Amino acid sequence: MPASEPDRERARKAAGEELALLLHHHSPDVLLALLDNPALDETQLCLLLDRKDLPAEILEEVTRRKPLLKNYRVKRALAFHPRTPRLASLRLVRELYLMDLVQLTLLPGISVELKRNAEEQLVARLPQLPLGQKITLARRGTARVAGALLAEGHAQVLSVVLDNGSLTEAQVLKALSRPSLPIGVVTAVAQHRKWSHTYNVRLALVRHPSSTLSTILAYLPELTVSDLRELAAPGIVSENLRKYLLAEIQQRMRKSEKSAQIMEPPRDSDPSKPE
C-alpha cells in the first residue's frame, strides 16, 4: 500500500531520532522520500543500505544519484548488497579498493559473474601492487587470484601462495602449462610438501621444460605406463628426456614379462594328477 503524502513529507524533513527510526520503515515510498532529505548523511545512508531487506527500487534509485556515489562508503555498500542491480554492481566493482575486492570475492552467496569480475579486477592490478599487498593476496585470495600470483613467480610470494588453502590443482596445472613460467615457480612446486605429491602436478612437472632432470627421474617410477608412453611420443619432451622415458617403459615391460613368467605354471605339469 503506497504511503500517504504526509508520511512522505515527514520523511523529507525528519531529523535526529525521527530520521533514525525512519531508516527502518517498511514503505518504499517513505524510503525514497528519505533520499530527498538534506539531513540524511553518509552514515545514515550506509545504515539504510545495510538493510538486507531493502527493496531493489531503493538501491536502484541510489545508484542513479551521482552526488551520492561520490562517497566511497556508499559505493562499497551498494557493491556488497545482494539486491543491487546487476549492471550497477559490475560498474561499482571497478572502483573498489583492493582489500574490499578481496572481501567481495569471499562473500557467501555472491553471484558467479560478480565474483569473476572482482577477480579480474584483482588480477589486472597485480603488476602494480607492492610486495606487501601481493603477500596478503597470496594468503587470502581466491583460487584464481592465487593462481595468477603463482604464475607471476615472485620469490617472496611463492611459499605463501602455495600454502593458500583456496589454491586448486587446476590453477597449479594452469600455471605449469606455461612454457615461459619463471623457473622459480617450477622449483617451488616440485619442492612443496603438498603439490609435489599430487599425481597430475608431477605429470605436469615432468612435461615442463624448466624441470630439473633429477626431479623428473624421481617421478618417472610413479607414472603409469600409459602416461609415460604419451610423454614419450615425438615432440612432447626433449629428445634427451625422451630416452629416459623410453628406458623406463622398457624396464617396466621387462618386469611385467618376468612377473608373468613366474606366475605361469610349467607346461608339462597336470594339476589333475596326484603326485
Side-chain angles (χ1 to χ4, degrees):
M1 182 177 179
S4 64
E5 182 55 36
D7 285 340
R8 292 196 292 270
E9 187 64 21
R10 174 174 160 239
R12 294 188 191 101
K13 296 181 178 179
E17 291 185 8
E18 184 180 20
L19 176 54
L21 287 172
L22 287 172
L23 295 175
H24 304 282
H25 204 282
H26 65 278
S27 170
D29 290 338
V30 170
L31 297 177
L32 284 171
L34 269 180
L35 298 179
D36 294 324
N37 188 326
L40 185 72
D41 61 22
E42 165 201 332
T43 300
Q44 292 164 326
L45 178 55
C46 287
L47 286 173
L48 176 65
L49 294 174
D50 279 343
R51 283 180 53 178
K52 300 306 178 189
D53 64 340
L54 197 63
E57 61 191 283
I58 309 300
L59 292 156
E60 190 168 359
E61 181 60 28
V62 175
T63 65
R64 290 197 191 106
R65 301 196 181 196
K66 292 184 179 180
L68 297 179
L69 295 180
K70 290 180 180 179
N71 186 284
Y72 181 79
R73 285 182 62 197
V74 173
K75 287 191 286 191
R76 182 189 183 280
L78 284 168
F80 275 69
H81 202 288
R83 293 188 177 184
T84 298
R86 170 181 164 273
L87 291 178
S89 294
L90 294 174
R91 184 175 67 252
L92 289 164
V93 159
R94 296 196 293 267
E95 302 180 44
L96 292 181
Y97 296 153
L98 182 77
M99 296 317 297
D100 284 331
L101 276 173
V102 174
Q103 188 176 346
L104 186 63
T105 63
L106 301 174
L107 196 67
I110 184 177
S111 72
V112 173
E113 183 182 27
L114 188 58
K115 179 178 180 179
R116 184 169 184 82
N117 194 274
E119 288 176 331
E120 287 173 356
Q121 292 296 317
L122 286 169
V123 171
R125 296 182 195 182
L126 289 183
Q128 288 78 40
L129 294 182
L131 177 60
Q133 289 186 330
K134 288 186 179 185
I135 291 174
T136 300
L137 272 181
R139 188 175 294 114
R140 296 183 55 194
T142 61
R144 190 176 176 210
V145 175
L149 282 164
L150 175 64
E152 197 177 50
H154 197 291
Q156 291 172 270
V157 173
L158 287 175
S159 62
V160 179
V161 78
L162 286 170
D163 284 338
N164 183 328
S166 297
L167 183 64
T168 61
E169 180 181 318
Q171 289 295 334
V172 176
L173 294 175
K174 183 179 179 181
L176 291 174
S177 69
R178 303 184 184 190
S180 59
L181 193 68
I183 191 169
V185 179
V186 177
T187 303
V189 174
Q191 294 175 350
H192 193 265
R193 61 185 179 279
K194 173 184 176 181
W195 298 115
S196 64
H197 292 282
T198 304
Y199 183 85
N200 288 328
V201 172
R202 286 186 167 190
L203 199 59
L205 286 167
V206 170
R207 185 188 293 262
H208 202 281
S210 295
S211 289
T212 63
L213 184 59
S214 60
T215 295
I216 293 170
L217 294 180
Y219 291 160
L220 290 189
E222 312 250 342
L223 301 185
T224 65
V225 173
S226 60
D227 283 333
L228 287 170
R229 284 176 174 155
E230 183 179 340
L231 288 168
I236 303 296
V237 296
S238 68
E239 280 302 311
N240 183 49
L241 176 56
R242 188 164 175 259
K243 293 176 183 177
Y244 286 100
L245 293 170
L246 292 172
E248 178 69 24
I249 293 170
Q250 291 173 359
Q251 184 179 355
R252 299 274 192 94
M253 298 303 294
R254 285 196 296 269
K255 284 184 179 179
S256 178
E257 290 172 0
K258 188 175 181 180
S259 296
Q261 290 173 359
I262 293 173
M263 295 297 293
E264 186 179 343
R267 292 183 181 179
D268 58 350
S269 65
D270 187 350
S272 64
K273 294 181 179 181
E275 292 185 4

